[in-house]
Amino acid sequence: MDQVAAGTKIDELSAELKALRKGLGIQAPNLPLHVGALLRQVCGIQDDDSPGTVRDKVAETVRSLIKRLPESQREVARLVFGFGTPAGQRYTDRLTQLGTGADRNVRTMQRRADDVVYLIAETAYAAPGRLTHAGRKDPWHTSALAVRLTLGGTGAEVFETRRIISHVDGLEEIEHSVSLARPLQPGQPLPTLEGLGIDVVAGGEVHSERMVSSTRVAFRLRPPHPLDTGDQHEFFFRIRVDEFPSPFYCCTPEYPCESFDLNVRFDRRRLPARLWRIDGEFSKDAEDPLAPRKPLWPDTVGEVHTSFHDLEPARSYGLGWQPAG
């Protein structure tokens, strides 16, 4: 689960970073012309900065963001953006070099390059004072989130209770979204609205359901009346998923979240072979089953419970598991 505005901002910044990596990447003579609006904000670029200053700020910022990536991703990121590569080496040549070194084809390396660019965008979003909070005030935050996930067959049912506190007067709608990971097997169809049911059980109504990316569905929650500053309100809604291929469930908040309580009920006939806690990771890393994490075990009825406090925006919190067999 995540908030649509956070995902949209990260997607937009990721697109700007992809434009930056083209051609000669960070070494391009016309680099200052390819710096998008969000990237300018992240780099602290002013309207009166000279082209040389723009170049220096972009290079310094991207280099510092790369340093914050997991060690296994840093060399890929440096090569993707052209740090330390021979003069005149274009993006496709750098991908070929990366593929040769890792014994993978260029198409596979393109996917790795896209993943590392997204990680950098997430890192920038999570950086205090850069993209998350610059120039705006959070309209609300979550004081308590409780999720009950029941897995059965190929589908799942999610019951979510969310209590929010308004930071503004006249808050009429809460933007929300659900992220569904890509299918595990090649050739399986992507998620669609038809395979997702969203119903408010109490606290308002749902409207404006729409696909905002190939794997994310956005919708709006409308309380019975507008909320003023300091007002609290609780929504209780249900989400039904016909296909639940992804072996993990996470909350990735856009705005601060004080507490998140998660209970997952597995089919006792199909308990996972392994189960672990995901605590404050980048969303791309949440799917990685190899990262070292704290193990958990279901109880006698097939349930596992965990909780989190003071969740950071743009980081993922939840559970992952390895299906039996």
Side-chain angles (χ1 to χ4, degrees):
M1 296 293 183
D2 66 356
Q3 302 301 319
V4 64
T8 300
K9 279 286 187 68
I10 294 171
D11 287 344
E12 290 174 356
L13 181 57
S14 180
E16 292 184 8
L17 288 167
K18 287 178 181 178
L20 188 71
R21 77 185 180 189
K22 290 181 179 179
L24 300 179
I26 207 73
Q27 301 183 37
N30 58 352
L31 178 143
L33 300 178
H34 297 289
V35 182
L38 287 180
L39 187 54
R40 293 177 69 89
Q41 181 179 330
V42 169
C43 298
I45 295 172
Q46 305 298 320
D47 292 341
D48 57 352
D49 282 346
S50 67
T53 300
V54 171
R55 175 184 296 280
D56 290 344
K57 286 184 175 181
V58 171
E60 179 184 354
T61 300
V62 175
R63 187 182 289 109
S64 68
L65 291 171
I66 289 174
K67 289 180 180 178
R68 296 182 61 193
L69 295 179
E71 187 174 354
S72 60
Q73 301 282 4
R74 294 173 197 164
E75 184 57 34
V76 176
R78 283 191 285 265
L79 194 58
V80 163
F81 284 97
F83 286 104
T85 57
Q89 190 177 52
R90 304 189 67 80
Y91 176 61
T92 52
D93 297 326
R94 299 197 300 274
L95 273 188
T96 301
Q97 176 184 337
L98 188 60
T100 301
D103 194 25
R104 294 184 174 90
N105 59 41
V106 173
R107 182 174 298 179
T108 299
M109 300 318 300
Q110 179 67 66
R111 289 197 294 269
R112 286 192 65 190
D114 288 346
D115 286 346
V116 81
V117 167
Y118 193 89
L119 278 177
I120 291 173
E122 278 192 323
T123 304
Y125 185 90
R130 285 191 170 171
L131 198 59
T132 313
H133 304 292
R136 69 171 173 85
K137 175 185 177 182
D138 294 342
W140 53 272
H141 80 276
T142 299
S143 60
L145 170 64
V147 170
R148 301 294 178 265
L149 168 63
T150 301
L151 299 165
T154 60
E157 219 171 10
V158 180
F159 294 91
E160 176 174 316
T161 302
R162 181 182 294 268
R163 184 168 69 246
I164 69 155
I165 299 177
S166 177
H167 296 184
V168 297
D169 292 336
L171 183 66
E172 296 182 344
E173 293 181 333
I174 307 300
E175 188 79 17
H176 200 65
S177 73
V178 178
S179 288
L180 303 170
R182 296 182 182 278
L184 295 178
Q185 301 298 328
Q188 288 183 325
L190 290 170
T192 64
L193 278 176
E194 289 73 21
L196 188 70
I198 307 171
D199 302 303
V200 169
V201 178
E205 62 177 346
V206 165
H207 69 98
S208 302
E209 299 98 326
R210 62 208 185 276
M211 297 294 296
V212 294
S213 76
S214 59
T215 58
R216 191 165 67 252
V217 179
F219 55 95
R220 292 175 182 172
L221 294 166
R222 179 183 293 147
H225 54 79
L227 307 177
D228 288 334
T229 303
D231 286 351
Q232 298 190 33
H233 187 72
E234 191 167 275
F235 293 99
F236 176 37
F237 58 94
R238 177 181 61 183
I239 300 174
R240 300 180 310 280
V241 184
D242 291 341
E243 296 290 335
F244 194 87
S246 307
F248 67 94
Y249 185 95
C250 290
C251 169
T252 309
E254 177 195 4
Y255 305 131
C257 178
E258 295 179 28
S259 69
F260 170 39
D261 188 85
L262 175 61
N263 191 90
V264 180
R265 184 181 182 94
F266 294 93
D267 186 334
R268 283 191 293 177
R269 298 165 299 179
R270 301 165 60 184
L271 293 177
R274 190 165 63 95
L275 184 67
W276 56 87
R277 176 181 162 97
I278 299 169
D279 191 355
E281 299 181 20
F282 292 112
S283 63
K284 289 287 184 182
D285 291 344
E287 303 180 45
D288 183 1
L290 301 180
R293 301 185 178 99
K294 179 182 178 180
L296 297 172
W297 293 268
D299 61 20
T300 55
V301 297
E303 293 186 5
V304 62
H305 171 263
T306 190
S307 59
F308 306 87
H309 299 279
D310 299 324
L311 284 68
E312 296 183 24
R315 294 298 180 99
S316 294
Y317 303 81
L319 293 176
W321 58 90
Q322 177 184 342

